[in-house]
Amino acid sequence: MRGMGHVLTEHSNRIGTLTLNHHERRNALSAALVGDLLDGLHMMEQAKTRVVILRAAPGAKVWSAGHDINELPEGGRDPLGFADPLRTVIRRIEDFPAPVIAMVEGTVWGGACELAMSCDLVFTTPETTFAITPAKLSVPYNVSGLLTFLNRMPLSLLNEMAFSGEPIPATRAHALGAINHLVPAAELSAFTMAFALKVARNAPLSVTAMKRSVHILTAAKALPPITFEQIQGERRKVWDSRDYKEGIAAFKQRREPDYRGE
Ligand code: YXS
């Protein structure tokens, strides 16, 4: 087990494990933690890892609190731009040559929901909850992020989660096909490792080709430039708004936000 600041890495039997390990900030996806994740993934690609398991420390109550709110811009620019750490690590997981399994326990918030659902497989416990939170913070989620969710869950569930911002139980996400397996907490780690060993015994070139082909096919949404600009225009109204500043200020001041639609 190697420590990389906020992420622990382990590697055996061609299986790599990345453990989110920044409890003090509830594994918030800060630039520092994401940097450690990217370093771990780089090391695993060099080692020709055949499966990666992404998890939090055993018994963690919060798998990840999502984007580090302190690192969101104060306003006036896209809070989820292409180079943003969250966007960077999502793309890296999607591009990683081997399957990445999100082994999720505890509560999952905002961008961390997308991080988990950008993984190729999601194994959780029945007690796990997921909350898509942009509406709580007046953040305009971005196009590729919404596509990640739409590729993982039906529109009805995404609308419910995105508009309410409230946590939903993994049991509902599983019933609607967004989660691969619900496993009792005591068995989740062994279940995940057993599955990973099955994949690691298979032909890696075939697995990589299928992972990459499926990702290209699911990402292939014809989006004329004018349509993309129209969406960006809708998003700009939000990140330029008074409400956007209010959402971040309310979190930092630990109070309920007062949104006015302006
Ligand atoms: O007060 P200290 O300094 O100890 O710090 C506290 C929290 O401020 C900090 N922390 C965070 N810092 C930055 N970004 C975060 N997302 C974040 N979450 C937590 O960690 C320290 C311990 O937090 P505390 O005392 O609240 O822990 P808790 O166990 O009582 O509650 C855990 C949570 C996760 C329920 C609670 O921390 C929480 O509700 N966090 C915010 C969850 C959230 O709204 N995440 C969305 C982030 S924005 C995002 O992902 C996208 C941009 S979007 O919104 O578009 O989806």
Side-chain angles (χ1 to χ4, degrees), residues 78 80-83 87 91 140-147 219 221-237 239:
D78 191 338
L80 295 172
F82 186 80
R87 305 291 357 131
R91 286 195 303 272
Y141 218 67
N142 70 309
V143 176
S144 51
L146 291 173
L147 271 179
K221 300 276 187 300
L223 203 57
I226 187 76
T227 307
F228 180 77
E229 286 164 3
Q230 190 183 356
I231 293 174
Q232 284 298 90
E234 288 301 326
R235 298 185 63 235
R236 185 171 293 111
K237 285 179 207 164
W239 80 61

Side-chain angles (χ1 to χ4, degrees), residues 24-248:
E24 302 70 39
R25 313 294 293 178
R26 302 302 185 266
N27 293 332
L29 302 175
S30 60
L33 184 144
V34 167
D36 292 341
L37 272 177
L38 295 173
D39 290 347
L41 286 166
H42 175 71
M43 192 193 76
M44 289 180 184
E45 185 164 7
Q46 298 292 93
K48 298 198 180 309
T49 303
R50 294 197 180 164
V51 188
V52 173
I53 297 169
L54 175 62
R55 59 168 299 164
K61 296 273 182 293
V62 180
W63 192 75
S64 170
H67 200 295
D68 187 323
I69 299 171
N70 300 314
E71 294 182 0
L72 287 172
E74 288 297 322
R77 68 179 173 86
D78 191 338
L80 295 172
F82 186 80
D84 178 87
L86 172 67
R87 305 291 357 131
T88 304
V89 73
I90 299 258
R91 286 195 303 272
R92 181 67 174 109
I93 285 176
E94 291 170 342
D95 293 345
F96 194 80
V100 179
I101 304 173
M103 189 186 113
V104 186
E105 285 183 274
T107 59
V108 190
W109 305 84
C113 281
E114 190 194 345
L115 177 65
M117 294 193 180
S118 70
C119 294
D120 301 287
L121 298 139
V122 183
F123 297 172
T124 71
T125 68
E127 298 74 29
T128 299
T129 64
F130 295 89
I132 296 177
T133 54
K136 291 279 188 192
L137 282 157
S138 190
V139 167
Y141 218 67
N142 70 309
V143 176
S144 51
L146 291 173
L147 271 179
T148 302
F149 288 126
L150 279 170
N151 284 331
R152 173 68 65 169
M153 65 178 74
L155 179 63
S156 55
L157 180 61
L158 175 56
N159 283 345
E160 179 180 333
M161 293 183 73
F163 301 154
S164 73
E166 293 300 315
I168 63 123
T171 47
R172 280 210 60 215
H174 178 257
L176 291 165
I179 305 282
N180 292 79
H181 290 284
L182 288 178
V183 181
E187 300 161 26
L188 182 60
S189 184
F191 179 93
T192 304
M193 186 54 77
F195 184 90
L197 283 165
K198 285 182 209 165
V199 176
R201 280 195 290 270
N202 288 337
L205 295 178
S206 167
V207 171
T208 297
M210 285 192 283
K211 168 171 175 171
R212 289 201 157 139
S213 305
V214 166
H215 178 62
I216 290 165
L217 290 168
T218 54
K221 300 276 187 300
L223 203 57
I226 187 76
T227 307
F228 180 77
E229 286 164 3
Q230 190 183 356
I231 293 174
Q232 284 298 90
E234 288 301 326
R235 298 185 63 235
R236 185 171 293 111
K237 285 179 207 164
V238 184
W239 80 61
D240 271 346
S241 69
R242 167 240 172 240
D243 280 359
Y244 175 85
K245 293 183 177 65
E246 166 64 9
I248 293 178

